[in-house]
Amino acid sequence: MQIKINEAAKLTGVTVRTLHYYDQIGLLRPETVTDTGYRLYGEKDLERLSQILFFRELDFTLAQIKDMLDSPSFDRKEALRAQHELLTKKKERLIDLTKRRMEGNAEMSFREFNKEEIERCKEKYAQEAEERWGGTQAYKESKKRTDSYGSAEWEELTQKGNSIMQAFADCRGLSPESGEVQELAARWQAYISSSYYDCTDEILEGLGLMYTSDERFRQNIDRFGEGTAELMSQGIACYVRNKKDRK
């Protein structure tokens, strides 16, 4: 018995785009691809998909899941044990944070969840930006703007930025040159320009490279879905290249 990709999506609750992406990275290949390009999934495919969804629920990355499912020598029990320990620590941290908030000892803000990592990321970005564009008007403008932002402004900017990154994640499986991805690259440039500094094509191109060359940036973006940083980087490169060609 085989079912079409849209039927597999309805059955499992996974989007068609996600199934396309799983196929693209070799995580879940359909049993059959017809001459007309239709993907057909068999029982073994659906069983593998159920395992993928199980491990995703435990916050394993897609790369880790692929290793577990493809390698007979991979120690799944040890991986599960380590992941259980990590999830337990996360739960304890959340319980402690909730308790402190109930006692009035913590500000009601989502920024505390990973504050140290956020600060490190901001410092890393500042260093990278200064190395590339230190002394430029854009760098000075960014520092001037961000120094004046309060918690409400940061929260709003974070939500706006996250919504664009989530949109990139939803487009995984599409070509970086597709209209949807190119529109998102334009939105990202406009978001940076309106929030931080005038994001020129040169700066945008440099940021796109940074999103994949710096593992910390890649991990931060890929929390929206494995491969988001790569699509974002490639989409930005295409966007800047196309603008240059039109000039």
Side-chain angles (χ1 to χ4, degrees):
M1 174 184 173
Q2 293 180 321
I3 60 176
K4 296 179 180 179
I5 190 170
N6 60 332
E7 295 172 326
K10 290 179 181 178
L11 178 65
T12 61
V14 177
T15 67
V16 171
R17 281 181 177 175
T18 296
L19 291 176
H20 276 291
Y21 181 66
Y22 286 176
D23 184 7
Q24 179 185 335
I25 64 175
L27 178 60
L28 180 66
R29 302 282 194 191
E31 185 176 276
T32 304
V33 178
T34 68
D35 293 338
T36 54
Y38 285 102
R39 291 171 168 82
L40 302 177
Y41 293 83
E43 291 184 10
K44 289 185 178 180
D45 299 327
L46 296 177
E47 180 182 350
R48 183 178 174 95
L49 180 56
S50 70
Q51 295 182 55
I52 292 170
L53 297 178
F54 169 72
F55 286 116
R56 285 297 285 159
E57 191 68 22
L58 295 179
D59 288 340
F60 281 94
T61 67
L62 295 182
Q64 289 172 324
I65 296 172
K66 190 174 186 302
D67 286 340
M68 285 189 287
L69 298 183
D70 292 346
S71 175
S73 62
F74 193 93
D75 192 339
R76 298 189 188 187
K77 287 186 178 180
E78 174 58 25
L80 286 169
R81 185 205 62 76
Q83 197 71 354
H84 179 269
E85 181 180 351
L86 175 62
L87 292 173
T88 299
K89 289 181 179 179
K90 285 185 177 180
K91 183 180 75 172
E92 291 174 350
R93 181 162 58 92
L94 291 174
I95 291 175
D96 178 66
L97 178 60
T98 302
K99 182 179 179 181
R100 287 189 289 113
R101 284 179 172 175
M102 290 173 63
E103 295 172 348
N105 295 326
E107 178 187 358
M108 288 296 291
S109 167
F110 290 103
R111 297 177 65 191
E112 297 136 289
F113 281 95
N114 207 5
K115 195 167 184 178
E116 291 183 1
E117 184 176 346
I118 291 174
E119 290 303 319
R120 286 196 300 269
C121 187
K122 286 168 62 179
E123 289 175 7
K124 174 65 176 176
Y125 173 81
Q127 292 172 4
E128 291 281 353
E130 188 168 15
E131 288 175 7
R132 289 174 179 267
W133 309 292
T136 65
Q137 185 60 37
Y139 182 81
K140 294 176 182 178
E141 182 182 351
S142 174
K143 192 173 189 314
K144 182 179 179 180
R145 286 199 203 179
T146 56
D147 284 348
S148 66
Y149 290 160
S151 58
E153 286 87 352
W154 278 117
E155 191 68 33
E156 182 181 358
L157 288 179
T158 299
Q159 290 178 2
K160 286 182 179 179
N162 286 349
S163 68
I164 300 175
M165 288 188 182
Q166 184 59 62
F168 270 108
D170 293 341
C171 286
R172 288 171 298 159
L174 296 181
S175 167
E177 296 183 355
S178 66
E180 293 91 337
V181 176
Q182 289 302 288
E183 182 182 352
L184 287 173
R187 282 180 58 191
W188 187 247
Q189 184 178 33
Y191 162 73
I192 295 174
S193 293
S194 63
S195 306
Y196 302 101
Y197 50 82
D198 180 21
C199 184
T200 65
D201 292 344
E202 179 187 1
I203 292 177
L204 182 66
E205 187 175 28
L207 290 173
L209 293 173
M210 195 188 306
Y211 294 155
T212 52
S213 63
D214 189 306
E215 191 59 30
R216 280 168 287 190
F217 279 92
R218 180 190 288 273
Q219 290 179 2
N220 182 54
I221 297 172
D222 276 358
R223 74 184 191 276
F224 295 93
E226 197 83 12
T228 304
E230 189 67 37
L231 177 62
M232 222 175 151
S233 180
Q234 292 181 10
I236 287 172
C238 291
Y239 174 73
V240 173
R241 184 172 61 250
N242 291 338
K243 288 183 71 175
K244 288 179 181 178
D245 291 342
R246 289 194 295 267
K247 291 180 179 180

